[in-house]
Each structure stands twice: as C-alpha cells, then as structure tokens.
Amino acid sequence: AHDFNNRLVIIMGHGELLRRAVAPDGPLAAHAEMILSSAKRAAELTRQLLAYSRRQVLKPETFDISQMVERVHRLLASVVGDRIELVTKLDATRLIRADPGQIEQVILNLALNARDAMPGGGKLTLETRDVTLEAHDHPTLAAGAYVALVVTDTGSGITGDVLPHIFEPFFTTKDIGQGTGLGLSMVEGIVQQSGGATVVETRMGHGTTFTTYLPQGAATSADALAIDDSAAPDSGTFETVLVCDDDDDVRHLVVGVLSLRAYRLLQASNGRKALEMTADHRGPIHLLVTDIAMPEMGGIELAATLRKRHPGLRVLYVSGYTEDADLLSMPLGPDTHFLPKPFLPGDLTRAVTAILERPSGS
C-alpha cells in the first residue's frame, strides 16, 4: 500500500501539472482528466483496503456526529432515491473523537448498504444517542460512555448463511461489476481503529439495524490544528523547507512543486542523510516535509532530533501507510500536521502555506 500510494502521488502530481500546462479545450486536456480520474479511483480503493486492515493513519478530532449526519443528509437523500423515505432522529450535541472524514465514510457506506437492501423502496432511519456500556455489554468494548450511530432499514433482512460474512473483504451478494465488497469491511475497520464496534440485528422480512458505538469525546485545543485547505497558496517568503522521502520520484515532485513558491529547499532520501546534510546548515529550518516509513531513520525520529536543533520547526508528515500508524492516531500537537498520500500539487501547496502562515505553537 505504501509503494502503491507513492506511485499514485507521482501519477496524480504529474497528471495535474500536465493539465495545467495544456489548453483547457485542447485534445490533451481530456487525456489529463482521464489520468487524474482513474488515479483518484485507484486511491479510493487503496483507502478502502487500508481501512479494512486498520493500517491507515487517522486524524482524530472532536466533533458533533449529529451535525455530521445533518450535513450529509442532502447527499444521502439524492443517493438513496425517491422510493426510500429518509428519516433522522438526532440527539443534540453528540461529541465523539475520531477522524471526521472516515466517520463520514461510515455513515455513507451504511446508508448505501441499507439502500441496497430495499430495492423496492422502504424507510431508512439514522439515529444518534448517548449510551453507557457496562463491562459485560460488549465483548471487545470497555465499560464507559459512547455515542451510538444507529442505521435501520425496512428491507428483507440478512439471511443466516450471509450474516457471518458481511464484514469480510470482497464478500458481496451483488452481481459481478456491481460492487467491490469492501463497503462494510471498510466500516468495520474504521470503527475498530477508532476504538468502537458495530453490532448487527436483523430479522427476515423486518429489516436490519446496524448500531455503531464510538467513544465520546471532549473538545480540546488540539482540534484547532487542522490544516485549512481553503488557504490560498502565496508566492512564498523564502522560508527554508526540508523535504525527506526515500522515493526519489516523490521527493523530486514535492521539491519541484514547492520550488514554484520561492521557498529555500533542502532534500534528503532518509532521516540519517537529512541530519548529516543539515548539520552545518546556517539559519533556521522552518518546515520539515517528511515521509514516515523510511530506511535507516524514519520521519518521526527525524522530526524529534531536528527539533532539538531547531526548536521552532514545524512538521508535515506525508504518508499513505505506516507500520507505526498508531503513533499518528493521537492528536498531533502544535506545529505537527499530516497530509495523506496520494495528494495533488495543490493539496501540498495549500498545506505548506497554511502551516507556515500559522503562528508557531498555535
């Protein structure tokens, strides 16, 4: 997955640069669009596989899941169609701590699964409510406070021979070409990696209910650290940026994109070489853009060592997979951010601009 995401960074990056270079109405523009469209679909498939295997890097924040359901309600209404009645029963202010983008995928996948269970129409209900679990209530969840996301359909139910397999990757009851069989397995992976669990109740002829338990959260100052993707890239103010990635093509692409923004750029292929190269560097290093999993010395150890020399150093981790994914499953802290691979050149420049414009330590 790590290697494949690196290839996608290169395909998407050069595809985007190609699209910018050709005439919008010229014959090459359509080819560039097709490259980007196909690469994005491949990236989504990789994200699904990593979600199932619980090896993705999460960006947890505290947010209101009821507000999220309300926000995606319009999208859900268009997706489920006119033959299905969409109902929400949302308790106000239900805070959880999880990756918002991943939980949105959970909601969408559960809703799509419910839609497919009602080909002739029916009723789809989404609920949120607080739940307190005791130690004996669930075999894998600790006792404590949770928020329950409940998705109920009035379909035909799940048969006994199918029910034990619904969370298995690539298992599907759909016709060939109608789905990858990763929807529910991705839900299970995201929820478990977020510290929760999903319980399924079904009755033949009476529908199915998926209840997802997610740990309650409380707002913290770390939630203000998210990168503002709307920040407009500027021309750069000659800050020094160190780029570290063991994939030469990815590193050269990142350096090439950032060179258009008038930054002073340093580059190295792993943490050890980065430390050797910067040992005699005069002046500050403002930002480290680094992969996480690299030979000899990875990005996390590199960042910790460099901060001893450059206390104001800011860090942008870029990775699509890491054996140490759990290290980034907690709040990243001040001056530390994460951009998932694969990304487009515009994603990178917006992230770097937003980080460098934010006051250090805020």
Side-chain angles (χ1 to χ4, degrees):
H2 179 272
D3 292 341
F4 189 62
N5 273 325
N6 278 342
R7 303 280 71 74
L8 288 175
V9 168
I10 297 161
I11 294 170
M12 292 170 66
H14 288 285
E16 174 64 23
L17 295 176
L18 174 64
R19 181 170 63 176
R20 295 180 188 180
V22 302
D25 55 350
L28 293 180
H31 295 300
E33 289 290 347
M34 182 59 70
I35 291 171
L36 288 171
S37 175
S38 295
K40 288 176 181 177
R41 291 179 64 184
E44 177 59 30
L45 181 59
T46 307
R47 278 192 291 269
Q48 290 176 332
L49 290 167
L50 289 174
Y52 160 72
S53 62
R54 296 180 286 282
R55 300 310 305 167
Q56 60 186 344
V57 179
L58 300 180
K59 298 165 62 180
E61 301 173 19
T62 298
F63 63 95
D64 188 334
I65 192 172
S66 293
Q67 289 184 1
M68 173 173 284
V69 174
E70 289 181 342
R71 189 168 64 250
V72 301
H73 183 275
R74 182 175 300 179
L75 171 61
L76 291 176
S78 65
V79 168
V80 300
D82 297 334
R83 304 181 68 180
I84 294 177
E85 179 186 4
L86 182 60
V87 178
T88 56
K89 299 178 181 179
L90 307 176
D91 285 356
T93 316
R94 292 294 166 255
L95 296 179
I96 65 171
R97 186 159 191 85
D99 185 318
Q102 297 301 322
I103 299 304
E104 184 173 295
Q105 287 297 310
V106 168
I107 296 171
L108 292 173
N109 276 281
L110 289 175
L112 289 174
N113 184 71
R115 177 201 64 184
D116 294 342
M118 300 182 287
K123 182 178 180 180
L124 170 58
T125 305
L126 287 85
E127 304 177 60
T128 57
R129 58 174 180 260
D130 280 346
V131 176
T132 299
L133 296 180
E134 303 296 336
H136 60 272
D137 288 336
H138 192 277
T140 64
L141 294 181
Y146 294 82
V147 173
L149 168 68
V150 186
V151 180
T152 303
D153 66 66
T154 58
S156 57
I158 305 173
T159 62
D161 60 325
V162 170
L163 185 60
H165 305 288
I166 59 173
F167 291 118
E168 294 177 4
F170 306 112
F171 177 83
T172 179
T173 58
K174 299 177 183 177
D175 293 335
I176 294 175
Q178 297 301 309
T180 62
L182 285 170
L184 288 180
S185 63
M186 182 172 68
V187 167
E188 180 80 343
I190 291 171
V191 171
Q192 288 191 5
Q193 195 176 353
S194 301
T198 300
V199 176
V200 185
E201 300 173 276
T202 186
R203 290 178 59 196
M204 293 305 298
H206 293 84
T208 301
T209 296
F210 285 80
T211 302
T212 296
Y213 298 102
L214 293 162
Q216 288 189 14
T220 69
S221 58
D223 296 325
L225 296 175
I227 294 172
D228 180 6
D229 288 336
S230 65
D234 60 13
S235 59
T237 51
F238 301 102
E239 294 99 334
T240 298
V241 179
L242 170 60
V243 178
C244 192
D245 198 302
D246 60 310
D247 188 296
D248 293 342
D249 293 333
V250 172
R251 189 175 70 255
H252 294 158
L253 175 66
V254 170
V255 169
V257 170
L258 295 181
S259 68
L260 302 175
R261 301 296 168 186
Y263 298 115
R264 296 188 181 96
L265 293 163
L266 307 172
Q267 59 175 304
S269 59
N270 61 54
R272 183 186 60 78
K273 292 182 179 179
L275 292 178
E276 292 175 354
M277 182 188 62
T278 59
D280 298 324
H281 175 75
R282 296 183 179 181
I285 297 176
H286 299 90
L287 175 65
L288 168 65
V289 180
T290 182
D291 196 4
I292 300 171
M294 296 181 292
E296 298 190 49
M297 179 185 289
I300 294 175
E301 184 180 355
L302 169 62
T305 305
L306 274 179
R307 277 183 165 149
K308 297 176 182 177
R309 305 177 185 175
H310 304 274
L313 179 72
R314 306 172 193 195
V315 179
L316 176 61
Y317 292 116
V318 290
S319 180
Y321 170 84
T322 172
E323 290 291 340
D324 299 318
D326 291 342
L327 292 176
L328 292 184
S329 295
M330 299 174 288
L332 297 181
D335 296 331
T336 306
H337 308 271
F338 176 71
L339 179 67
K341 290 180 180 178
F343 50 79
L344 291 167
D347 300 327
L348 175 66
T349 52
R350 280 191 293 271
V352 169
T353 299
I355 292 170
L356 291 176
E357 288 184 347
R358 181 181 290 116
S360 179
S362 65

